[in-house]
Amino acid sequence: MANKITIIGAGQVGSTVAYALTLKQLASEIVIIDIIKEKAMGEAMDIRQGTPFIGPVNVRDGDYEDAKGSDIVIFTSGVGRKPGQSRLDLTQTNVDIAKSVIPTITKACPNALYVIVANPVDILTYQFIKTSGIPASRIFGTGTLLDTARFRARIAETYRVCQENVHGYVFGEHGDSSFVPWSLANIGSIPVDNFASSYTGKDVLPSFDKNDVEDYIRKSGGIIIAAKKCTNYGIGVTTATLVEALNYSTDSVLTISSMLNGEYGISDVCLSIPTVVGCNGIKGHIATPLTDSEVASLQHSAECLKDVIKQINF
Ligand code: APR
């Protein structure tokens, strides 16, 4: 596959994204850039030396010049969340880091697709769209794609069914105002609400509180950070899944963060709703009917993000 990917930021997240892309053989060349050059060098060398057991991927460290010709640029540089710190506390610091990178990387890669991973991802995605000059359809954030995976994994654990049979999405901000539109959640096309009562197997399926599930999803990042000081594997494979959709033009439905243009009465803010992603980026949103309270939750999420946008210096 002739596909060049540049990753900015060689921290826990950037290096795990590079490793996930390498394992899934989603690039022929991966360039890793970090302000700490030695870190990028070490991560690239470590991943590259495993490639004889994986496949022909050239993983190397580099500078912005080396990013030229990239099909995809993945932005992970930023300060990671500290235990107990909310994502939004980090905002101005990570916006300033993005501000210092955007002109250089977009000059080197004017035709690339941009995947924003660093947090607060919805705000940084908005910043990239507003300040880079790259078309909005080519810039998106991982958004609630990871939260959606956490949701599916949680329901699969609860009912002991295959994760791939659980469908449903987390909408909104990748953060405290995210929510699950339960009206869309199903297991093998059976609405989650009907699943336990329809099941005739011997196991007794537990009941669960929907609020607990949503709370668990919102708190997962914080729990993992408190336990191991970072999150990397979940976001690594989430980012690789998004790259896979771009590479293979799968037209996948993914909850990624992107600019809304009037869907559910929301505009001029980036957040996640189901979005069709093809090889040129965003093909379109799916503004599926939601219940009135779900629409209100999404509008609340948009307002929370707009409040932050107002307070940030882009
Ligand atoms: N240019 C390039 N790299 C930079 C810059 C910059 N201007 N500023 C910081 N970096 C690098 C750091 O040197 C570091 O290697 O970004 C990397 C960040 O790595 P970590 O501190 O390990 O943070 P990480 O856990 O990887 O999280 C990065 O992704 O998921 C999000 O919330 C997370 O916003 C955070 C980001």
Side-chain angles (χ1 to χ4, degrees):
M1 181 189 305
N3 195 39
K4 178 170 175 176
I5 300 181
T6 288
I7 300 172
I8 304 174
Q12 299 287 350
V13 172
S15 57
T16 309
V17 168
Y19 190 51
L21 296 176
T22 302
L23 286 176
K24 282 175 155 271
Q25 298 193 56
L26 289 172
S28 53
E29 184 177 358
I30 298 175
V31 176
I32 305 179
I33 300 174
D34 198 285
I35 202 162
I36 305 171
K37 288 182 183 300
E38 199 181 9
K39 174 96 173 103
M41 185 280 289
E43 295 293 358
M45 187 172 167
D46 196 7
I47 297 169
R48 185 174 64 245
Q49 291 183 340
T51 56
F53 300 130
I54 303 171
V57 190
N58 179 18
V59 186
R60 62 193 182 101
D61 59 299
D63 216 322
Y64 289 95
E65 276 295 296
D66 301 293
K68 280 190 175 159
S70 293
D71 302 287
I72 300 173
V73 173
I74 301 175
F75 183 82
T76 76
S77 57
V79 179
R81 202 151 45 112
K82 305 284 178 304
Q85 187 180 30
S86 88
R87 287 191 186 92
L88 295 182
D89 289 345
L90 282 174
T91 306
Q92 189 65 58
T93 310
N94 283 352
V95 162
D96 290 342
I97 290 174
K99 208 188 284 184
S100 71
V101 167
I102 289 170
T104 324
I105 188 63
T106 51
K107 188 163 174 239
C109 306
N111 301 316
L113 294 160
Y114 283 80
V115 176
I116 316 304
V117 182
N119 278 311
V121 65
D122 302 294
I123 303 293
L124 298 183
T125 304
Y126 182 86
Q127 176 187 15
F128 262 77
I129 290 171
K130 288 291 187 178
T131 67
S132 68
I134 305 286
S137 61
R138 301 184 71 80
I139 303 174
F140 27 87
T142 45
T144 58
L145 195 52
L146 173 57
D147 312 62
T148 293
R150 286 173 173 157
F151 168 67
R152 294 174 63 190
R154 185 60 164 181
I155 297 297
E157 277 165 30
T158 304
Y159 281 155
R160 276 181 272 147
V161 290
C162 175
Q163 295 87 337
E164 290 180 341
N165 287 147
V166 179
H167 300 281
Y169 302 99
V170 177
F171 276 44
E173 174 198 6
H174 175 58
D176 294 340
S177 67
S178 70
F179 69 100
V180 175
W182 288 93
S183 64
L184 303 178
N186 70 79
I187 301 171
S189 85
I190 313 300
V192 167
D193 284 342
N194 299 348
F195 189 78
S197 59
S198 312
Y199 183 65
T200 64
K202 285 192 184 132
D203 334 296
V204 178
L205 299 184
S207 57
F208 63 85
D209 184 324
K210 289 176 181 167
N211 290 327
D212 288 349
V213 171
E214 292 188 52
D215 215 36
Y216 168 85
I217 297 161
R218 285 187 213 107
K219 288 185 175 151
S220 289
I223 293 168
I224 296 168
I225 288 169
K228 57 172 259 189
K229 308 277 184 281
C230 73
T231 64
N232 57 333
Y233 298 117
I235 188 62
V237 79
T238 293
T239 308
T241 297
L242 175 49
V243 168
E244 204 163 27
L246 299 171
N247 276 6
Y248 294 124
S249 200
T250 52
D251 298 344
S252 294
V253 179
L254 301 172
T255 43
I256 53 169
S257 183
S258 65
M259 186 67 86
L260 293 204
N261 299 302
E263 295 84 351
Y264 305 104
I266 299 169
S267 55
D268 199 34
V269 69
C270 293
L271 48 66
S272 298
I273 62 172
T275 303
V276 180
V277 183
C279 62
N280 292 317
I282 295 173
K283 292 181 77 174
H285 295 121
I286 306 173
T288 185
L290 298 175
T291 66
D292 289 350
S293 80
E294 289 165 352
V295 171
S297 296
L298 191 62
Q299 289 172 342
H300 169 68
S301 204
E303 285 313 312
C304 292
L305 286 162
K306 284 186 176 191
D307 264 3
V308 177
I309 287 169
K310 268 188 237 148
Q311 296 168 52
I312 294 297
N313 174 14
F314 292 109

